[in-house]
Amino acid sequence: MAIDKDSAAAARAGEPSRFSGALIDVLDDVSYARVDASVIDDPIYKLRYRAYVREGFMDHNAEEICIDDLDETPNAMSFGIYIKGELVSSIRLHHLIAEHRRSPSMKVCPDILAPMVDAGKTFIDPSRFTADREASLTYPALPFLTLRVAAMASVHFNADLCLALVRPEHGPFYKRVFGSEIMSDVRTYPGLHFPVALFGAPVENIRTRVAQRFPFFLSTSHEREQLFTQTVKQGTHLRIRASARHAYESARAEMAEQL
């Protein structure tokens, strides 16, 4: 079996840290499901709404959902993250390329991103990262489990940069974990009551380091294909099990046989 370079890098790094090992254990109970954007009462839109209203980031609405014009663009993909079958968080991704230029970061920072897209650069643009309050208390590392979707998409689509349009005070987290660098000044996003800044992580430059430090971000090509190449209808309610342990342990076993 061929070992992909990320899994090989993690295997060469030896035993995972206690933190990474604990996250791999949690991932044994994690599954991901792609959302059909046309089903506006999907639980993830209600989860978004509750999270944003709770924090005072958006106004109340009668439908008690949070959905916008970017949810149904051709390059959009939204996912629910489940632990032991319970929805705990959600995230939306846009694959930003020359043919499909609509995304949250492009909406806020076209002056920065449009010239890069014109030059052939491609991006994964995560947004709408929200979590259930009780789950956040039970699983403090929930951000890692959720952002794993963006890490997998960056690999699957061979993106140049993984973006993060986030509150400025969250920038240090993205820099520490992904090596993200700030790309913009502080700006506003329509409809949200907090400022944002654009950060970007160069995917090819960080993949090995991230895999070595955080092997729970690993995935098999099979998991990535199930999540990102399926049609929306095929993906609706289809729970895809996290494959981090299989990717990591298979690489270690394969490398041990080569010694």
Side-chain angles (χ1 to χ4, degrees), residues 190-251:
L192 295 183
H193 299 166
F194 57 85
V196 295
L198 181 64
F199 295 79
V203 175
E204 188 59 32
N205 293 350
I206 66 170
R207 282 177 57 175
T208 296
R209 180 175 66 84
V210 171
Q212 290 173 330
R213 293 182 62 202
F214 306 116
F216 50 81
F217 282 127
L218 294 175
S219 59
T220 62
S221 60
H222 180 65
E223 181 186 4
R224 296 191 297 271
E225 288 166 3
Q226 285 185 298
L227 286 172
F228 304 122
T229 64
Q230 65 194 0
T231 67
V232 171
K233 292 299 183 184
Q234 288 173 331
T236 301
H237 304 307
L238 177 63
R239 305 285 175 84
I240 309 301
R241 297 290 300 273
S243 63
R245 182 183 299 279
H246 179 74
Y248 178 68
E249 293 186 349
S250 295

Side-chain angles (χ1 to χ4, degrees), residues 4-259:
D4 68 83
K5 69 175 185 178
D6 299 330
S7 298
R12 286 194 298 269
E15 291 291 333
S17 67
R18 181 178 299 179
F19 173 75
S20 290
L23 263 290
I24 291 174
D25 289 342
V26 174
L27 276 166
D28 288 339
D29 293 321
V30 170
S31 58
Y32 301 90
R34 189 165 172 177
V35 172
D36 182 349
S38 67
V39 182
I40 63 172
D41 62 348
D42 188 280
I44 77 157
Y45 301 128
K46 296 182 181 295
L47 177 66
R48 284 184 193 173
Y49 174 82
R50 291 194 300 270
Y52 282 141
V53 170
R54 182 175 66 243
E55 299 295 334
F57 294 159
M58 67 174 288
D59 297 325
H60 290 273
N61 64 57
E63 295 81 11
E64 296 189 344
I65 62 173
C66 178
I67 192 168
D68 62 34
D69 59 308
L70 294 177
D71 280 302
E72 293 195 61
T73 60
N75 59 333
M77 299 164 280
S78 291
F79 300 88
I81 292 82
Y82 296 79
I83 299 180
K84 297 180 180 179
E86 297 294 325
L87 178 66
V88 294
S89 63
S90 67
I91 193 168
R92 179 178 68 187
L93 307 178
H94 282 79
H95 184 209
L96 185 55
I97 58 177
E99 294 79 9
H100 298 291
R101 294 170 175 253
R102 296 185 64 196
S103 81
S105 293
M106 182 66 88
K107 180 180 287 191
V108 176
C109 301
D111 55 319
I112 296 170
L113 295 176
M116 298 177 72
V117 173
D118 290 340
K121 298 295 185 182
T122 65
F123 309 90
I124 294 299
D125 189 5
S127 61
R128 298 302 195 192
F129 172 17
T130 49
D132 176 81
R133 186 176 186 179
E134 293 302 318
S136 296
L137 298 175
T138 304
Y139 303 100
L142 189 54
F144 293 93
L145 306 179
T146 307
L147 288 170
R148 182 172 174 268
V149 182
M152 287 191 288
S154 297
V155 172
H156 179 78
F157 292 106
N158 195 29
D160 292 294
L161 289 174
C162 186
L163 304 174
L165 187 70
V166 297
R167 284 181 285 174
E169 60 267 29
H170 290 174
F173 168 84
Y174 288 87
K175 182 175 181 61
R176 182 174 68 254
V177 176
F178 299 110
S180 302
E181 298 291 343
I182 193 163
M183 298 175 66
S184 78
D185 54 352
V186 176
R187 305 187 181 189
T188 58
Y189 187 90
L192 295 183
H193 299 166
F194 57 85
V196 295
L198 181 64
F199 295 79
V203 175
E204 188 59 32
N205 293 350
I206 66 170
R207 282 177 57 175
T208 296
R209 180 175 66 84
V210 171
Q212 290 173 330
R213 293 182 62 202
F214 306 116
F216 50 81
F217 282 127
L218 294 175
S219 59
T220 62
S221 60
H222 180 65
E223 181 186 4
R224 296 191 297 271
E225 288 166 3
Q226 285 185 298
L227 286 172
F228 304 122
T229 64
Q230 65 194 0
T231 67
V232 171
K233 292 299 183 184
Q234 288 173 331
T236 301
H237 304 307
L238 177 63
R239 305 285 175 84
I240 309 301
R241 297 290 300 273
S243 63
R245 182 183 299 279
H246 179 74
Y248 178 68
E249 293 186 349
S250 295
R252 294 203 69 182
E254 183 75 8
M255 295 185 73
E257 291 179 1
Q258 296 174 3
L259 296 178

